[in-house]
Amino acid sequence: MENTAAESHQGITSSEAAVRLLESGPNELPERKPPGLPRIFLSQFKSPFIYVLFAAAVVSWALGQTINSFFIFVVLLINALIGTIQEYSAERAAAALRKMVPFRATVVRDGKAMIINTADIVCGDYVLLASGDRVPADIRMSAAQDLLVDESMLTGESMATVKDDSVRMPDDAPLGDRSDVCFAGTVIMSGRGAGAVFATGAITEIGKIAADFGADDEVKPPLLQRVEQFTLRITYGILIMVALIFLITVMRGDDLAAVFMLGVALAVSAIPEGLPAAMTVALAIGMRRMAHHSVIIRRLLAVESLGSCTYIASDKTGTLTVNEMTVRRIVLQDGSAFDISGEGLDLHGQVTPQPASGHKQRLDLLCHAGLLANEAELERGEDGWSGQGDGVDVALLVLARKFGLQYERERRVCQQLGSIPYESANAYSASVNRYAGGYEIFLKGSVERLLAMCSCAHGEDASAFQRIGEQANALAKSGYRVLALAHRRVEIVPAELDEFLNDLEFIGMVAMIDPLRPEAITAVQDCKDARIKVAMITGDHPQTARALALQLGLADESMEPVTGSQIRQATASGPAAMRQLINSTRVFARIEPHQKKQIVEQLIEEGEFVAVTGDGVNDAPALSQAHVGIAMGMRGTDVARESADIIITDDNFSSIVEGIKQGRIVYSNIRKVIFLLISTGAAEIALILFSLMFGLPLPLFPLQLLWLNLVTNGVQHIALVMEPEEGHELKRPPRAPNEPIFNRLMIERVLLNAVVMGCLAFAVFSWQLNNGVPESAARNMTLLLMVLFENVHVLNSRSETLSVFRQGVFSNRFLVVAIFCAQAIHIGAMYTPGLREILQLEPVTLHQWMQLLVVALLLIVVDELHKYWRSRQAGVQAGSAA
């Protein structure tokens, strides 16, 4: 459906859009259908762990051990059901998170521009496009100004395509030749454009392609891959061990069935069957917790990566500041200065001192330059005034209102005849308008850029330029953002506006203040405590950036900002000069987009694990280059958000820091689960090997080991991933990115606890046998002791360093419930007919239970002593370093 030109420029009405949306459906591409419950259920059996257990069940059945075989199958079924529920919940949570930051587009409806979700766009909508936007639908252009579009995703052509609204190509022309159409999913690299939508959703060109294939499965995060590889090696190792034991026992003449049962017991003990499911839940919980702190994870990789961050390269505007620009001071070309009162979008303000008649004309010209070379809008709603567009542009519209200028009326009277939209690479924007009976070119941009275009300052000599530069520096040192305005009278409307951007007359400067976010200073200090370096990278004036950095605590008085020109010189001088320059500061100003990527590359080369924030199309290379790309959700362009791993929905630096803390919590909780499962499994192996070495019967049967690993412990390890923060996450340095999960601390704790549990369990088992207790009763007591060990050991697992007595008992209520449930399940099985016989259980007296509990509590004493010893060692090392 196509519209007439008149309808396109006025847009369609909201009511008409609602009708069309019902008819055509939302503007969304065909998505990979999420896997259904049957597919998720079947996928639970695709694991080497399951293959080993399944083989054990089949061989058990072949050897006539029907009950053993049946129970293994039941346990596999229960494990698959638990995994299905967890994965289905994680899939739904991930889908919900993906919809929390919808893409947006600017359309004209009811005769005015408004921002809507791209899913609500319909055929006939008139869409306004700007650099950094992702094209929301197939659009036939009716206006295009220096419009360059990246269509590589459709055409494979790496060069950006120039769009031209003056031609009309046939619909059957090759996509790369259709210069009058912007296609859905492509990215605006630079320029501006507008046009009417003629295809949405599945009928767009990219929608037709998407319908032909399904999306690939999401790649597992590296952490999960490493753990699965580790457990796979355990599986291979245990199979080799079983083979060796088989040879030894066969050579000794042992019963083949007994040997097989021993091998199954070892395999069941060694394989952490519940680990993959627990890790998936941990990552999903981490994503949800981060979402509550305005941190949306686009890739699971980022949950792990964020906790490893050692360096944050942060944008300034809107991230460290509130992004509410207010013009506080005006300095005209003759040095006359005026203070402006009012905050934010308050349209009332006083000018001090009152301008003389000669200054009023210059102030009027300055205000016109600010509102005409401007793309923002001011709207009055029920909750007061709101601005749409860049914060600087909105501040200039507010300034004009304070001087009595209605920008809507002025734009109608001073008709725009051409413009150059603001691009960060240019550092200015320009407009040519009808003004005072002729044609006037107005510019606004950085002081340095505009002064280079000016040839005079309203009759002043060249020394005036030096004075203007000094005034700009003085304002910047006070923390102001300084913007210059200039103009030029022309006789004709320029065909190529950029050819006339010379011989300008300097009008004056405006000094704006964008206050720091109150929480930013605390967040920066938190980063310092966490040994994370923070740098500010901005296109602003060096002295402005330095003043804000001093307030934030990013820099001290001796630290000077590094500018883009210095980076160019260092790049020409070689790697050593670049390395020295980047390491000399935490403040980078007047930085060009490609230089931000250079800074990131240098930091990575220095061994830093870098997180980068950005919001524009020019930030995309740096976001992609960084270990963790963080895009701004409120003011970020579509291309920036698509390039990033994480989206901050409130554009707040403190949310980034909170995300780092949550990332550390997630990684810590995964380590806790690994420690719990590996150490208890190792304890079971130790128990079996001790019995084998001393010629005793199997202390636990394979079914009992499965019961321990998948039922009683399975209840607890899922609750362990819900552990809250310990309180010191931001008080310790980040882990090294290449640090293995099984570092020295993990290995020490696993070996110590496994040996203690194995020895104590073996001692109880052998003591009972030596005192004439039947094997079945001895196994019953040993199995109960192992369940109690799990109950106690999960408390030890809550922290690698904190004493169990310094943690709140009910800070993780899920874990408290899980401990009681695990014990209740086992005791209940003792009294459940059928299950009691399968597991060879029998009730115990309260006195026996209390005796075993005392033995199990010895594990806390051992782990507490180890934590105390480690803390003393750390204190000694810290003292030596000091």
Side-chain angles (χ1 to χ4, degrees), residues 306 309-315 319-320 523-524 526-528 530-537 554 586 588 596 600 603 608-613 628 630 653-660:
L306 202 56
C309 176
T310 64
Y311 199 110
I312 303 175
S314 176
D315 206 358
T319 307
L320 296 169
V524 169
D526 287 340
C527 286
K528 287 184 176 181
R531 317 291 204 284
I532 299 172
K533 303 168 188 173
V534 181
M536 177 195 298
I537 302 181
L554 285 179
R586 296 285 182 270
F588 301 89
K596 188 171 185 178
V600 173
L603 291 170
E608 302 287 359
F609 201 83
V610 184
V612 171
T613 71
V628 184
I630 303 173
F653 184 80
S654 64
S655 296
I656 300 173
V657 179
E658 183 64 35
I660 290 174

mmCIF file of all heavy atoms in Angstrom, residues 306 309-315 319-320 523-524 526-528 530-537 554 586 588 596 600 603 608-613 628 630 653-660:
data_model
loop_
_atom_site.group_PDB
_atom_site.id
_atom_site.type_symbol
_atom_site.label_atom_id
_atom_site.label_comp_id
_atom_site.label_asym_id
_atom_site.label_seq_id
_atom_site.Cartn_x
_atom_site.Cartn_y
_atom_site.Cartn_z
ATOM 1 N N LEU A 306 31.126 -9.760 32.373
ATOM 2 C CA LEU A 306 31.022 -8.521 33.124
ATOM 3 C C LEU A 306 31.739 -8.605 34.465
ATOM 4 O O LEU A 306 32.321 -7.627 34.939
ATOM 5 C CB LEU A 306 29.541 -8.165 33.320
ATOM 6 C CG LEU A 306 29.227 -6.700 33.601
ATOM 7 C CD1 LEU A 306 29.794 -5.797 32.513
ATOM 8 C CD2 LEU A 306 27.728 -6.490 33.720
ATOM 9 N N CYS A 309 35.517 -7.708 34.300
ATOM 10 C CA CYS A 309 35.890 -6.393 33.794
ATOM 11 C C CYS A 309 36.964 -5.744 34.674
ATOM 12 O O CYS A 309 36.841 -5.696 35.898
ATOM 13 C CB CYS A 309 34.650 -5.511 33.745
ATOM 14 S SG CYS A 309 34.968 -3.833 33.251
ATOM 15 N N THR A 310 38.042 -5.248 34.017
ATOM 16 C CA THR A 310 39.108 -4.545 34.743
ATOM 17 C C THR A 310 39.187 -3.070 34.368
ATOM 18 O O THR A 310 39.875 -2.303 35.033
ATOM 19 C CB THR A 310 40.483 -5.186 34.450
ATOM 20 O OG1 THR A 310 40.786 -5.034 33.050
ATOM 21 C CG2 THR A 310 40.484 -6.658 34.796
ATOM 22 N N TYR A 311 38.481 -2.679 33.288
ATOM 23 C CA TYR A 311 38.596 -1.303 32.793
ATOM 24 C C TYR A 311 37.270 -0.923 32.138
ATOM 25 O O TYR A 311 36.764 -1.654 31.293
ATOM 26 C CB TYR A 311 39.726 -1.226 31.760
ATOM 27 C CG TYR A 311 40.268 0.162 31.475
ATOM 28 C CD1 TYR A 311 41.541 0.531 31.878
ATOM 29 C CD2 TYR A 311 39.508 1.114 30.792
ATOM 30 C CE1 TYR A 311 42.068 1.793 31.610
ATOM 31 C CE2 TYR A 311 40.004 2.371 30.524
ATOM 32 C CZ TYR A 311 41.289 2.713 30.928
ATOM 33 O OH TYR A 311 41.797 3.962 30.658
ATOM 34 N N ILE A 312 36.702 0.213 32.544
ATOM 35 C CA ILE A 312 35.476 0.724 31.929
ATOM 36 C C ILE A 312 35.797 2.011 31.197
ATOM 37 O O ILE A 312 36.267 2.981 31.796
ATOM 38 C CB ILE A 312 34.377 0.999 32.984
ATOM 39 C CG1 ILE A 312 34.062 -0.255 33.783
ATOM 40 C CG2 ILE A 312 33.112 1.508 32.297
ATOM 41 C CD1 ILE A 312 33.067 -0.016 34.909
ATOM 42 N N ALA A 313 35.581 2.025 29.901
ATOM 43 C CA ALA A 313 35.735 3.233 29.096
ATOM 44 C C ALA A 313 34.341 3.809 28.890
ATOM 45 O O ALA A 313 33.563 3.318 28.077
ATOM 46 C CB ALA A 313 36.393 2.904 27.758
ATOM 47 N N SER A 314 34.025 4.851 29.661
ATOM 48 C CA SER A 314 32.655 5.349 29.723
ATOM 49 C C SER A 314 32.463 6.630 28.926
ATOM 50 O O SER A 314 33.333 7.506 28.896
ATOM 51 C CB SER A 314 32.259 5.604 31.181
ATOM 52 O OG SER A 314 30.964 6.173 31.259
ATOM 53 N N ASP A 315 31.309 6.702 28.297
ATOM 54 C CA ASP A 315 30.861 7.945 27.703
ATOM 55 C C ASP A 315 30.549 8.922 28.835
ATOM 56 O O ASP A 315 30.415 8.524 29.991
ATOM 57 C CB ASP A 315 29.601 7.662 26.881
ATOM 58 C CG ASP A 315 29.393 8.651 25.763
ATOM 59 O OD1 ASP A 315 30.212 9.575 25.645
ATOM 60 O OD2 ASP A 315 28.413 8.505 25.015
ATOM 61 N N THR A 319 25.509 9.344 30.807
ATOM 62 C CA THR A 319 25.975 8.180 31.559
ATOM 63 C C THR A 319 26.544 8.613 32.895
ATOM 64 O O THR A 319 26.105 8.153 33.951
ATOM 65 C CB THR A 319 27.040 7.417 30.749
ATOM 66 O OG1 THR A 319 26.526 7.121 29.458
ATOM 67 C CG2 THR A 319 27.405 6.126 31.449
ATOM 68 N N LEU A 320 27.504 9.527 32.837
ATOM 69 C CA LEU A 320 28.042 10.109 34.058
ATOM 70 C C LEU A 320 27.300 11.381 34.447
ATOM 71 O O LEU A 320 27.341 11.813 35.590
ATOM 72 C CB LEU A 320 29.528 10.418 33.874
ATOM 73 C CG LEU A 320 30.424 9.184 33.646
ATOM 74 C CD1 LEU A 320 31.826 9.604 33.218
ATOM 75 C CD2 LEU A 320 30.483 8.309 34.878
ATOM 76 N N ALA A 523 29.461 5.517 42.471
ATOM 77 C CA ALA A 523 29.717 4.377 41.582
ATOM 78 C C ALA A 523 31.180 4.319 41.159
ATOM 79 O O ALA A 523 31.775 3.237 41.087
ATOM 80 C CB ALA A 523 28.807 4.457 40.355
ATOM 81 N N VAL A 524 31.773 5.478 40.870
ATOM 82 C CA VAL A 524 33.195 5.507 40.503
ATOM 83 C C VAL A 524 34.052 5.037 41.670
ATOM 84 O O VAL A 524 35.022 4.299 41.490
ATOM 85 C CB VAL A 524 33.606 6.923 40.047
ATOM 86 C CG1 VAL A 524 35.123 7.036 39.928
ATOM 87 C CG2 VAL A 524 32.950 7.265 38.719
ATOM 88 N N ASP A 526 33.097 2.968 43.975
ATOM 89 C CA ASP A 526 32.900 1.516 44.050
ATOM 90 C C ASP A 526 33.827 0.796 43.076
ATOM 91 O O ASP A 526 34.368 -0.270 43.387
ATOM 92 C CB ASP A 526 31.445 1.160 43.745
ATOM 93 C CG ASP A 526 30.497 1.536 44.873
ATOM 94 O OD1 ASP A 526 30.978 1.705 46.002
ATOM 95 O OD2 ASP A 526 29.290 1.661 44.610
ATOM 96 N N CYS A 527 33.998 1.378 41.897
ATOM 97 C CA CYS A 527 34.910 0.781 40.909
ATOM 98 C C CYS A 527 36.348 0.786 41.426
ATOM 99 O O CYS A 527 37.083 -0.183 41.238
ATOM 100 C CB CYS A 527 34.826 1.530 39.582
ATOM 101 S SG CYS A 527 33.319 1.206 38.648
ATOM 102 N N LYS A 528 36.737 1.872 42.062
ATOM 103 C CA LYS A 528 38.087 1.934 42.625
ATOM 104 C C LYS A 528 38.267 0.848 43.679
ATOM 105 O O LYS A 528 39.304 0.172 43.731
ATOM 106 C CB LYS A 528 38.345 3.304 43.232
ATOM 107 C CG LYS A 528 38.549 4.417 42.216
ATOM 108 C CD LYS A 528 38.908 5.716 42.921
ATOM 109 C CE LYS A 528 39.223 6.823 41.938
ATOM 110 N NZ LYS A 528 39.604 8.084 42.626
ATOM 111 N N ALA A 530 36.808 -1.901 43.801
ATOM 112 C CA ALA A 530 36.811 -3.197 43.118
ATOM 113 C C ALA A 530 38.002 -3.361 42.194
ATOM 114 O O ALA A 530 38.051 -4.324 41.421
ATOM 115 C CB ALA A 530 35.515 -3.356 42.321
ATOM 116 N N ARG A 531 38.977 -2.422 42.268
ATOM 117 C CA ARG A 531 40.197 -2.440 41.441
ATOM 118 C C ARG A 531 39.866 -2.362 39.956
ATOM 119 O O ARG A 531 40.562 -2.956 39.118
ATOM 120 C CB ARG A 531 41.034 -3.703 41.687
ATOM 121 C CG ARG A 531 41.191 -4.136 43.118
ATOM 122 C CD ARG A 531 42.036 -3.212 43.976
ATOM 123 N NE ARG A 531 42.596 -3.922 45.096
ATOM 124 C CZ ARG A 531 41.922 -4.270 46.187
ATOM 125 N NH1 ARG A 531 40.637 -3.988 46.278
ATOM 126 N NH2 ARG A 531 42.529 -4.899 47.182
ATOM 127 N N ILE A 532 38.809 -1.654 39.619
ATOM 128 C CA ILE A 532 38.423 -1.457 38.218
ATOM 129 C C ILE A 532 38.782 -0.029 37.823
ATOM 130 O O ILE A 532 38.381 0.925 38.486
ATOM 131 C CB ILE A 532 36.910 -1.691 38.011
ATOM 132 C CG1 ILE A 532 36.537 -3.125 38.377
ATOM 133 C CG2 ILE A 532 36.514 -1.408 36.564
ATOM 134 C CD1 ILE A 532 35.036 -3.376 38.377
ATOM 135 N N LYS A 533 39.526 0.112 36.761
ATOM 136 C CA LYS A 533 39.895 1.428 36.268
ATOM 137 C C LYS A 533 38.736 2.003 35.456
ATOM 138 O O LYS A 533 38.085 1.281 34.702
ATOM 139 C CB LYS A 533 41.151 1.340 35.403
ATOM 140 C CG LYS A 533 42.347 0.729 36.120
ATOM 141 C CD LYS A 533 43.452 0.397 35.140
ATOM 142 C CE LYS A 533 44.573 -0.390 35.824
ATOM 143 N NZ LYS A 533 45.577 -0.872 34.849
ATOM 144 N N VAL A 534 38.499 3.298 35.621
ATOM 145 C CA VAL A 534 37.427 3.966 34.894
ATOM 146 C C VAL A 534 38.019 5.145 34.127
ATOM 147 O O VAL A 534 38.773 5.946 34.691
ATOM 148 C CB VAL A 534 36.315 4.471 35.840
ATOM 149 C CG1 VAL A 534 35.203 5.129 35.036
ATOM 150 C CG2 VAL A 534 35.771 3.325 36.679
ATOM 151 N N ALA A 535 37.684 5.231 32.860
ATOM 152 C CA ALA A 535 38.131 6.350 32.037
ATOM 153 C C ALA A 535 36.924 6.995 31.381
ATOM 154 O O ALA A 535 35.924 6.339 31.093
ATOM 155 C CB ALA A 535 39.115 5.878 30.967
ATOM 156 N N MET A 536 37.020 8.316 31.175
ATOM 157 C CA MET A 536 35.991 9.067 30.469
ATOM 158 C C MET A 536 36.484 9.332 29.045
ATOM 159 O O MET A 536 37.570 9.861 28.842
ATOM 160 C CB MET A 536 35.715 10.401 31.181
ATOM 161 C CG MET A 536 34.700 11.286 30.472
ATOM 162 S SD MET A 536 34.740 12.994 31.109
ATOM 163 C CE MET A 536 34.269 12.724 32.808
ATOM 164 N N ILE A 537 35.681 8.946 28.072
ATOM 165 C CA ILE A 537 36.006 9.209 26.667
ATOM 166 C C ILE A 537 34.881 10.056 26.092
ATOM 167 O O ILE A 537 33.727 9.612 26.052
ATOM 168 C CB ILE A 537 36.171 7.914 25.868
ATOM 169 C CG1 ILE A 537 37.265 7.035 26.486
ATOM 170 C CG2 ILE A 537 36.513 8.221 24.412
ATOM 171 C CD1 ILE A 537 37.517 5.747 25.745
ATOM 172 N N LEU A 554 37.794 10.642 39.047
ATOM 173 C CA LEU A 554 38.479 9.863 38.017
ATOM 174 C C LEU A 554 39.923 10.299 37.860
ATOM 175 O O LEU A 554 40.788 9.507 37.459
ATOM 176 C CB LEU A 554 37.782 10.047 36.658
ATOM 177 C CG LEU A 554 36.455 9.333 36.413
ATOM 178 C CD1 LEU A 554 35.937 9.665 35.034
ATOM 179 C CD2 LEU A 554 36.633 7.845 36.550
ATOM 180 N N ARG A 586 43.198 9.077 32.531
ATOM 181 C CA ARG A 586 41.882 8.454 32.552
ATOM 182 C C ARG A 586 40.839 9.378 31.916
ATOM 183 O O ARG A 586 39.647 9.144 32.047
ATOM 184 C CB ARG A 586 41.456 8.137 33.994
ATOM 185 C CG ARG A 586 42.315 7.130 34.706
ATOM 186 C CD ARG A 586 42.070 5.719 34.225
ATOM 187 N NE ARG A 586 42.893 4.778 34.981
ATOM 188 C CZ ARG A 586 44.106 4.416 34.644
ATOM 189 N NH1 ARG A 586 44.644 4.911 33.538
ATOM 190 N NH2 ARG A 586 44.804 3.566 35.374
ATOM 191 N N PHE A 588 39.910 11.274 28.274
ATOM 192 C CA PHE A 588 40.145 11.430 26.841
ATOM 193 C C PHE A 588 39.084 12.377 26.283
ATOM 194 O O PHE A 588 37.882 12.134 26.453
ATOM 195 C CB PHE A 588 40.071 10.082 26.132
ATOM 196 C CG PHE A 588 41.071 9.074 26.636
ATOM 197 C CD1 PHE A 588 40.766 8.236 27.698
ATOM 198 C CD2 PHE A 588 42.325 8.972 26.058
ATOM 199 C CE1 PHE A 588 41.675 7.313 28.174
ATOM 200 C CE2 PHE A 588 43.251 8.052 26.519
ATOM 201 C CZ PHE A 588 42.933 7.224 27.579
ATOM 202 N N LYS A 596 38.304 6.121 19.441
ATOM 203 C CA LYS A 596 37.780 5.367 20.583
ATOM 204 C C LYS A 596 38.110 3.884 20.414
ATOM 205 O O LYS A 596 38.503 3.210 21.376
ATOM 206 C CB LYS A 596 36.270 5.576 20.700
ATOM 207 C CG LYS A 596 35.656 4.998 21.968
ATOM 208 C CD LYS A 596 34.207 5.437 22.104
ATOM 209 C CE LYS A 596 33.609 4.964 23.420
ATOM 210 N NZ LYS A 596 32.211 5.414 23.616
ATOM 211 N N VAL A 600 40.555 1.415 22.790
ATOM 212 C CA VAL A 600 40.134 0.097 23.270
ATOM 213 C C VAL A 600 41.141 -0.970 22.853
ATOM 214 O O VAL A 600 41.524 -1.840 23.647
ATOM 215 C CB VAL A 600 38.720 -0.236 22.741
ATOM 216 C CG1 VAL A 600 38.341 -1.679 23.092
ATOM 217 C CG2 VAL A 600 37.693 0.722 23.325
ATOM 218 N N LEU A 603 44.193 -0.776 25.056
ATOM 219 C CA LEU A 603 43.941 -1.274 26.403
ATOM 220 C C LEU A 603 43.910 -2.800 26.435
ATOM 221 O O LEU A 603 44.436 -3.429 27.364
ATOM 222 C CB LEU A 603 42.614 -0.706 26.924
ATOM 223 C CG LEU A 603 42.597 0.799 27.211
ATOM 224 C CD1 LEU A 603 41.174 1.272 27.483
ATOM 225 C CD2 LEU A 603 43.500 1.135 28.399
ATOM 226 N N GLU A 608 44.148 -5.495 29.635
ATOM 227 C CA GLU A 608 42.918 -5.128 30.340
ATOM 228 C C GLU A 608 41.730 -5.892 29.751
ATOM 229 O O GLU A 608 41.708 -6.239 28.571
ATOM 230 C CB GLU A 608 42.650 -3.623 30.212
ATOM 231 C CG GLU A 608 43.772 -2.740 30.749
ATOM 232 C CD GLU A 608 43.849 -2.725 32.261
ATOM 233 O OE1 GLU A 608 43.017 -3.386 32.907
ATOM 234 O OE2 GLU A 608 44.744 -2.063 32.806
ATOM 235 N N PHE A 609 40.745 -6.149 30.602
ATOM 236 C CA PHE A 609 39.465 -6.730 30.162
ATOM 237 C C PHE A 609 38.486 -5.567 30.122
ATOM 238 O O PHE A 609 38.047 -5.075 31.158
ATOM 239 C CB PHE A 609 39.014 -7.819 31.131
ATOM 240 C CG PHE A 609 38.033 -8.781 30.531
ATOM 241 C CD1 PHE A 609 38.480 -9.856 29.767
ATOM 242 C CD2 PHE A 609 36.679 -8.610 30.700
ATOM 243 C CE1 PHE A 609 37.581 -10.751 29.207
ATOM 244 C CE2 PHE A 609 35.771 -9.491 30.145
ATOM 245 C CZ PHE A 609 36.224 -10.574 29.393
ATOM 246 N N VAL A 610 38.153 -5.100 28.918
ATOM 247 C CA VAL A 610 37.574 -3.777 28.731
ATOM 248 C C VAL A 610 36.064 -3.839 28.478
ATOM 249 O O VAL A 610 35.587 -4.616 27.649
ATOM 250 C CB VAL A 610 38.253 -3.056 27.552
ATOM 251 C CG1 VAL A 610 37.721 -1.635 27.416
ATOM 252 C CG2 VAL A 610 39.761 -3.039 27.742
ATOM 253 N N ALA A 611 35.337 -2.980 29.207
ATOM 254 C CA ALA A 611 33.925 -2.715 28.934
ATOM 255 C C ALA A 611 33.821 -1.297 28.387
ATOM 256 O O ALA A 611 34.453 -0.378 28.914
ATOM 257 C CB ALA A 611 33.086 -2.857 30.205
ATOM 258 N N VAL A 612 33.049 -1.125 27.320
ATOM 259 C CA VAL A 612 32.923 0.173 26.650
ATOM 260 C C VAL A 612 31.454 0.556 26.582
ATOM 261 O O VAL A 612 30.602 -0.276 26.272
ATOM 262 C CB VAL A 612 33.519 0.119 25.223
ATOM 263 C CG1 VAL A 612 33.203 1.385 24.459
ATOM 264 C CG2 VAL A 612 35.017 -0.069 25.296
ATOM 265 N N THR A 613 31.157 1.823 26.889
ATOM 266 C CA THR A 613 29.795 2.323 26.716
ATOM 267 C C THR A 613 29.726 3.181 25.463
ATOM 268 O O THR A 613 30.699 3.829 25.082
ATOM 269 C CB THR A 613 29.345 3.162 27.927
ATOM 270 O OG1 THR A 613 30.066 4.407 27.927
ATOM 271 C CG2 THR A 613 29.603 2.435 29.225
ATOM 272 N N VAL A 628 33.273 -6.379 26.486
ATOM 273 C CA VAL A 628 31.860 -6.205 26.819
ATOM 274 C C VAL A 628 31.410 -4.856 26.259
ATOM 275 O O VAL A 628 31.898 -3.808 26.696
ATOM 276 C CB VAL A 628 31.609 -6.238 28.346
ATOM 277 C CG1 VAL A 628 30.115 -6.147 28.629
ATOM 278 C CG2 VAL A 628 32.195 -7.497 28.960
ATOM 279 N N ILE A 630 28.555 -2.053 25.923
ATOM 280 C CA ILE A 630 27.394 -1.620 26.708
ATOM 281 C C ILE A 630 26.744 -0.447 25.983
ATOM 282 O O ILE A 630 27.357 0.611 25.832
ATOM 283 C CB ILE A 630 27.802 -1.197 28.134
ATOM 284 C CG1 ILE A 630 28.532 -2.349 28.835
ATOM 285 C CG2 ILE A 630 26.585 -0.773 28.937
ATOM 286 C CD1 ILE A 630 29.128 -1.962 30.178
ATOM 287 N N PHE A 653 25.532 5.268 34.815
ATOM 288 C CA PHE A 653 26.794 4.597 35.085
ATOM 289 C C PHE A 653 26.691 3.667 36.298
ATOM 290 O O PHE A 653 27.300 2.603 36.332
ATOM 291 C CB PHE A 653 27.904 5.628 35.312
ATOM 292 C CG PHE A 653 29.263 5.023 35.504
ATOM 293 C CD1 PHE A 653 30.009 4.605 34.425
ATOM 294 C CD2 PHE A 653 29.787 4.860 36.780
ATOM 295 C CE1 PHE A 653 31.266 4.030 34.597
ATOM 296 C CE2 PHE A 653 31.043 4.294 36.965
ATOM 297 C CZ PHE A 653 31.774 3.874 35.865
ATOM 298 N N SER A 654 25.913 4.063 37.288
ATOM 299 C CA SER A 654 25.791 3.219 38.480
ATOM 300 C C SER A 654 25.140 1.879 38.146
ATOM 301 O O SER A 654 25.400 0.875 38.812
ATOM 302 C CB SER A 654 24.978 3.931 39.565
ATOM 303 O OG SER A 654 23.659 4.162 39.143
ATOM 304 N N SER A 655 24.317 1.840 37.089
ATOM 305 C CA SER A 655 23.727 0.569 36.667
ATOM 306 C C SER A 655 24.793 -0.359 36.095
ATOM 307 O O SER A 655 24.710 -1.579 36.255
ATOM 308 C CB SER A 655 22.630 0.814 35.620
ATOM 309 O OG SER A 655 21.565 1.555 36.169
ATOM 310 N N ILE A 656 25.790 0.222 35.425
ATOM 311 C CA ILE A 656 26.895 -0.580 34.915
ATOM 312 C C ILE A 656 27.646 -1.227 36.070
ATOM 313 O O ILE A 656 27.973 -2.415 36.038
ATOM 314 C CB ILE A 656 27.844 0.286 34.069
ATOM 315 C CG1 ILE A 656 27.101 0.895 32.880
ATOM 316 C CG2 ILE A 656 29.047 -0.529 33.592
ATOM 317 C CD1 ILE A 656 27.923 1.903 32.101
ATOM 318 N N VAL A 657 27.912 -0.436 37.104
ATOM 319 C CA VAL A 657 28.629 -0.958 38.275
ATOM 320 C C VAL A 657 27.808 -2.038 38.958
ATOM 321 O O VAL A 657 28.339 -3.066 39.387
ATOM 322 C CB VAL A 657 28.963 0.191 39.255
ATOM 323 C CG1 VAL A 657 29.675 -0.343 40.481
ATOM 324 C CG2 VAL A 657 29.810 1.249 38.558
ATOM 325 N N GLU A 658 26.507 -1.818 39.057
ATOM 326 C CA GLU A 658 25.636 -2.836 39.648
ATOM 327 C C GLU A 658 25.661 -4.106 38.804
ATOM 328 O O GLU A 658 25.651 -5.226 39.334
ATOM 329 C CB GLU A 658 24.204 -2.310 39.760
ATOM 330 C CG GLU A 658 23.230 -3.260 40.436
ATOM 331 C CD GLU A 658 23.578 -3.535 41.891
ATOM 332 O OE1 GLU A 658 24.072 -2.620 42.567
ATOM 333 O OE2 GLU A 658 23.357 -4.676 42.359
ATOM 334 N N GLY A 659 25.715 -3.935 37.475
ATOM 335 C CA GLY A 659 25.806 -5.094 36.598
ATOM 336 C C GLY A 659 27.087 -5.869 36.814
ATOM 337 O O GLY A 659 27.101 -7.113 36.779
ATOM 338 N N ILE A 660 28.191 -5.156 37.042
ATOM 339 C CA ILE A 660 29.469 -5.816 37.328
ATOM 340 C C ILE A 660 29.359 -6.629 38.617
ATOM 341 O O ILE A 660 29.818 -7.777 38.697
ATOM 342 C CB ILE A 660 30.601 -4.778 37.428
ATOM 343 C CG1 ILE A 660 30.899 -4.193 36.040
ATOM 344 C CG2 ILE A 660 31.865 -5.399 38.028
ATOM 345 C CD1 ILE A 660 31.885 -3.060 36.054
#
